[in-house]
């Protein structure tokens, strides 16, 4: 479970990015986080990734209290999260296979486990036949699927996707979202930060709307309000 | 607990070196140059010191005994001198040997010596020529010699000894500072090289961080990269130094026999060890310092 208890984040220059956020995301939930640029979505993500620390309040993710986690434990905490970015952040000089394998290498998985698991993950995202390709040889949608496969590599409890459909063609957008829904159906918590009204409206999941550092709406099956987008 | 595969780190380090080929080459060239400069300067200082020592060994103290000292008194004086501290060798020159030496000095006019000293006794005093161990304690030795019975005079060149000591200290002082400056320059160059490598892979490193890579995992290939740069530079520096030194050694041996040049074989172990140690430390320090800001959580 992810739990924000009265969380406030104020940056050193005095900017109040988030104020008194109270939020609970249960295990296995699918959540859209929406809001205009500068609303506080990115700060919320950075707090979840423990790139930033809360100024006040308490933030817990699973067994970790992110206010108190020592620096050396942060990499181990992050292994519970699978991150997907809008710019994919793939390793350009590694093949599809190596990109996924690398995530497992990072946590010290033995080669035998990597060899067994990578094809399975690639089959989930439908890229088994492209395992030898480099990212530059793939379409945007395919690259995002590699990123998704990499995020899944270490069997994380939570998938956080930051604008996962922003840089891919319309046809592929639904494919990526369907994959995320499929992953969610296997019991993983999925958090999607997005600007895309059509997608949010189509999937009818929980929608948390942030405006000026506050949660202004939290509805299950909610619709994306037009004036909250950029 | 899971263990990282050490071969993976080496593979990444070599890939990094290859990928940033030009910068790696620049780092190796600069470090190599610094090492050769350090090596040349060390060898120069070593040889200067060896030659200074040799000059110092030419220094001797001359103790002149009283003219009327008896043979027994001279024998006792000889023993007393030999018993003093810092004595390397004592050479006794009798009156007869002194005359012989004078005749030799005058060469074809040696008959003049005989003419002057003919039928005279106790013309030349007995003399002790003393060489010593330690330049820095000459003054003390001269004082002790002057205090002995039946010593008429003590001649020495303490001023030369002091000058030699001053030159040695000065050379050592410059040597240490020069080495330190070259070492800092080497590290600075490596920092910039590794930093460029890290910056070009900043996106990759940030992605690694999100995947849950530890600092150890991210830093190790770069540190190994630094060590490899250090080792390659040390090896090449040794080769270049050998060529340079042998060329100088041969030239000096032929043309300037007054100056003695130590053969490289006498110092090569220290030279290669020094290059490796300095190269590797510069590599590790350079990598570690350049990575510091990227290793935030």
């Amino acid at each position: 479970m992810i739990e924000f208890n009265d969380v406030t984040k104020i940056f050193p220059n005095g900017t109040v990015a988030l104020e008194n956020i109270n939020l609970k995301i249960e295990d296995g939930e699918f959540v859209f986080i929406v809001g205009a640029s500068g609303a506080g979505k990115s700060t919320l993500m950075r707090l979840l990734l423990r790139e930033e620390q809360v100024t006040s309040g308490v933030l817990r993710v699973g067994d970790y209290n992110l206010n108190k986690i020592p620096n050396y434990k942060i990499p181990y905490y992050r292994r519970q999260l699978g991150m997907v970015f809008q710019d994919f952040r793939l390793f350009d000089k590694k093949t599809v296979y190596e990109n996924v394998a690398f995530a497992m290498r990072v946590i010290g998985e033995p080669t035998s486990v990597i060899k067994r698991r990578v094809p399975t993950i690639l089959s989930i995202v439908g890229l088994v036949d492209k395992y030898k390709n480099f990212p530059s040889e793939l379409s945007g949608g395919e690259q995002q699927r590699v990123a998704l496969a990499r995020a899944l590599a270490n069997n994380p409890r939570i998938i956080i996707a930051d604008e996962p459909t922003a840089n891919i063609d319309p046809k592929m957008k639904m494919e990526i979202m369907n994959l995320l829904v499929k992953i969610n159906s296997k019991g993983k918590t999925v958090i999607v930060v997005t600007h895309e009204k059509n997608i949010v409206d189509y999937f009818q999941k929980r929608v948390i709307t942030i405006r000026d550092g506050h949660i202004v709406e939290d509805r299950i099956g909610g619709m994306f309000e037009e004036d909250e987008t950029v | 607990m899971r263990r990282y595969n050490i071969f993976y780190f080496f593979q990444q380090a070599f890939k990094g070196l290859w990928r940033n080929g030009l910068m790696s080459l620049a780092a190796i060239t600069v470090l190599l140059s610094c090492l050769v400069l350090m090596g040349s300067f060390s060898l120069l200082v070593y040889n200067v010191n060896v030659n200074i020592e040799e000059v110092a060994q030419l220094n001797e103290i001359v103790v002149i005994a009283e003219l009327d000292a008896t043979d027994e008194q001279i024998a006792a004086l000889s023993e007393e001198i030999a018993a003093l501290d810092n004595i390397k060798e004592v050479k006794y020159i009798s009156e007869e040997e002194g005359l012989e030496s004078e005749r030799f000095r005058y060469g074809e006019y040696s008959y003049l010596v005989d003419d002057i000293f003919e039928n005279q006794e106790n013309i030349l005093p007995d003399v002790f020529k003393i060489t010593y161990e330690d330049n820095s304690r000459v003054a003390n030795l001269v004082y002790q010699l002057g205090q002995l019975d039946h010593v008429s005079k003590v001649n020495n060149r303490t001023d030369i000894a002091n000058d030699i000591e001053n030159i040695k200290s000065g050379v050592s002082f410059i040597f240490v500072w020069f080495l330190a400056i070259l070492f800092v320059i080497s590290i600075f160059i490596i920092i910039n090289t590794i930093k460029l490598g890290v910056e070009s892979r900043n996106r990759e490193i940030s992605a690694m961080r999100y995947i849950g890579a530890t600092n150890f995992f991210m830093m190790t290939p770069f540190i190994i990269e630094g060590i490899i740069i250090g080792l390659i530079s040390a090896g090449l520096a040794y080769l270049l130094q050998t060529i340079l030194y042998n060329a100088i050694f041969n030239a000096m041996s032929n043309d300037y026999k007054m100056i003695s040049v130590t053969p490289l074989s006498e110092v090569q172990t220290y030279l290669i060890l020094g290059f490796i140690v300095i190269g590797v430390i510069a590599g590790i320090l350079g990598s570690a310092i350049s990575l510091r800001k990227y290793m935030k959580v």
Side-chain angles (χ1 to χ4, degrees):
Chain A
M1 186 170 69
I2 298 167
E3 195 174 358
F4 287 75
N5 271 331
D6 225 10
V7 167
T8 295
K9 175 64 187 175
I10 303 170
F11 286 105
N13 64 3
T15 307
V16 181
L18 291 172
E19 197 170 16
N20 301 328
I21 299 290
N22 286 293
L23 174 64
K24 260 187 196 173
I25 298 173
E26 299 290 343
D27 288 342
E29 259 196 282
F30 192 116
V31 178
F32 283 113
I33 294 178
V34 299
S37 290
K41 305 190 302 291
S42 296
T43 305
L44 193 118
M45 302 272 286
R46 290 167 72 85
L47 289 177
L48 273 178
L49 282 167
R50 188 42 180 80
E51 277 196 300
E52 298 287 349
Q53 270 190 287
V54 300
T55 307
S56 64
V58 178
L59 172 54
R60 284 197 177 85
V61 178
D63 300 330
Y64 290 93
N65 179 341
L66 298 196
N67 300 48
K68 293 180 179 172
I69 185 170
N71 282 353
Y72 77 91
K73 276 193 177 171
I74 292 172
Y76 302 96
Y77 158 69
R78 286 184 183 147
R79 291 173 191 182
Q80 297 196 5
L81 313 175
M83 276 301 301
V84 178
F85 301 94
Q86 68 178 86
D87 58 356
F88 320 130
R89 299 201 192 174
L90 297 176
F91 304 115
D92 299 335
K93 288 170 181 161
K94 294 186 194 296
T95 63
V96 167
Y97 180 94
E98 287 165 346
N99 261 281
V100 181
F102 185 73
M104 298 171 78
R105 184 92 59 197
V106 159
I107 66 161
E109 286 286 13
T111 307
S112 56
V113 175
I114 294 173
K115 279 183 178 169
R116 199 172 57 239
R117 189 160 160 74
V118 174
T120 312
I121 297 167
L122 287 179
S123 70
I124 294 173
V125 298
L127 284 174
V128 177
D129 54 336
K130 301 223 168 171
Y131 76 101
K132 278 184 179 171
N133 288 74
F134 286 92
S136 57
E137 298 164 345
L138 303 174
S139 69
E142 286 171 328
Q143 287 189 55
Q144 195 58 293
R145 280 194 278 160
V146 179
L148 206 46
R150 189 179 66 184
L152 289 171
N154 294 323
N155 198 21
R157 293 163 63 179
I158 302 162
I159 297 285
I160 301 174
D162 183 12
E163 304 280 359
T165 53
N167 288 332
I168 51 185
D169 62 69
K171 191 184 155 202
M172 283 292 181
K173 285 179 199 273
M174 290 311 284
E175 215 171 290
I176 293 294
M177 286 311 301
N178 282 329
L179 262 175
L180 285 166
V181 170
K182 186 174 152 190
I183 290 162
N184 173 243
S185 70
K186 307 273 184 197
K188 296 199 187 301
T189 307
V190 175
I191 301 171
V192 178
V193 175
T194 187
H195 277 115
E196 307 214 27
K197 180 180 185 306
N198 293 343
I199 287 173
V200 176
D201 288 348
Y202 179 84
F203 284 95
Q204 291 287 299
K205 300 286 187 183
R206 181 179 172 191
V207 181
I208 296 165
T209 308
I210 300 178
R211 189 188 297 153
D212 297 330
H214 295 90
I215 293 177
V216 292
E217 196 161 36
D218 184 351
R219 284 192 300 196
I220 293 181
M223 299 288 280
F224 199 150
E225 290 178 31
E226 194 72 57
D227 63 351
E228 285 156 6
T229 62
V230 174
Chain B
M1 192 178 160
R2 289 167 173 148
R3 278 167 178 260
Y4 291 125
N5 187 344
I6 189 74
F7 296 110
Y8 168 79
F9 291 132
F10 275 94
Q11 189 190 32
Q12 290 303 307
F14 278 108
K15 275 187 182 172
L17 278 173
W18 185 250
R19 195 160 30 200
N20 304 303
L22 271 179
M23 281 316 297
S24 306
L25 195 66
I28 288 170
T29 310
V30 174
L31 185 55
L32 158 73
S33 313
C34 286
L35 285 175
V36 171
L37 272 174
M38 283 185 206
S40 304
F41 197 67
S42 308
L43 289 168
L44 176 71
V45 169
Y46 181 79
N47 277 294
V48 166
N49 280 340
V50 166
N51 280 280
I52 286 174
E53 281 298 326
E54 282 174 8
V55 170
Q57 279 167 16
L58 295 177
N59 268 358
E60 55 188 14
I61 299 171
V62 177
V63 174
I64 301 167
E66 288 170 348
L67 267 174
D68 53 0
T70 64
D71 290 348
E72 289 77 25
Q73 286 168 336
I74 293 297
L77 178 59
S78 175
E79 282 175 19
E80 284 176 61
I81 292 172
L84 288 175
D85 192 27
N86 199 21
I87 297 286
K88 192 175 180 184
E89 197 183 352
V90 181
K91 192 178 173 191
Y92 170 65
I93 297 165
S94 65
E95 183 183 358
E96 190 48 46
E97 284 167 332
L99 278 172
E100 193 52 43
S101 167
E102 289 299 306
R103 285 189 196 101
F104 181 76
R105 198 149 69 94
Y106 280 84
E108 57 181 306
Y109 305 106
S110 62
Y111 60 88
L112 290 173
V113 175
D114 294 323
D115 287 351
I116 293 167
F117 297 130
E118 195 178 14
N119 300 323
Q120 292 189 51
E121 282 186 5
N122 286 345
I123 300 300
L124 290 176
D126 292 312
V127 165
F128 295 92
K129 285 191 174 177
I130 297 164
T131 53
Y132 43 82
E133 306 270 0
D134 183 2
N135 263 334
S136 62
R137 292 186 287 140
V138 171
N140 189 33
L141 180 61
V142 169
Y143 174 76
Q144 287 176 313
L145 289 167
Q147 297 300 304
L148 298 176
D149 289 339
H150 310 294
V151 170
S152 160
K153 197 177 176 191
V154 180
N155 286 337
N156 79 301
R157 298 304 307 271
T158 315
D159 50 344
I160 291 181
N162 286 339
D163 286 348
I164 287 169
E165 276 308 306
N166 288 340
I167 292 169
K168 276 179 73 179
S169 318
V171 167
S172 303
F173 180 79
I174 294 168
F175 172 67
V176 168
W177 276 104
F178 191 73
L179 278 193
I181 290 167
L182 283 176
F183 187 65
V184 171
I185 291 172
S186 309
I187 290 177
F188 181 74
I189 298 294
I190 294 191
I191 289 172
N192 281 298
T193 309
I194 299 274
K195 203 183 267 180
L196 281 174
V198 176
E199 268 167 18
S200 71
R201 285 149 78 180
N202 196 16
R203 216 170 133 258
E204 199 173 308
I205 289 172
S206 106
M208 282 163 77
R209 201 177 295 128
Y210 291 126
I211 292 169
T214 55
N215 281 350
F216 173 80
F217 184 87
M218 291 188 277
M219 279 179 82
T220 306
F222 290 106
I223 298 284
I224 295 175
E225 213 173 305
I227 293 173
I228 294 169
I229 287 176
L231 284 175
I232 293 174
S233 306
L236 292 175
Y238 179 71
L239 279 179
L240 193 61
Q241 190 77 72
T242 306
I243 295 166
L244 280 174
Y245 192 80
N246 283 337
I248 293 168
F249 178 78
N250 291 335
M252 298 291 268
S253 304
N254 292 335
D255 302 336
Y256 304 98
K257 290 204 170 60
M258 281 177 66
I259 300 169
S260 75
V261 183
T262 311
L264 190 63
S265 56
E266 276 185 28
V267 289
Q268 63 186 8
T269 312
Y270 300 107
L271 193 66
I272 185 74
L273 281 178
F275 281 170
I276 289 173
V277 169
I278 294 172
V280 167
I281 289 177
I284 292 174
L285 274 180
S287 300
I289 294 170
S290 59
L291 286 169
R292 216 173 30 177
K293 84 167 190 184
Y294 294 95
M295 292 303 130
K296 59 186 181 186
V297 290

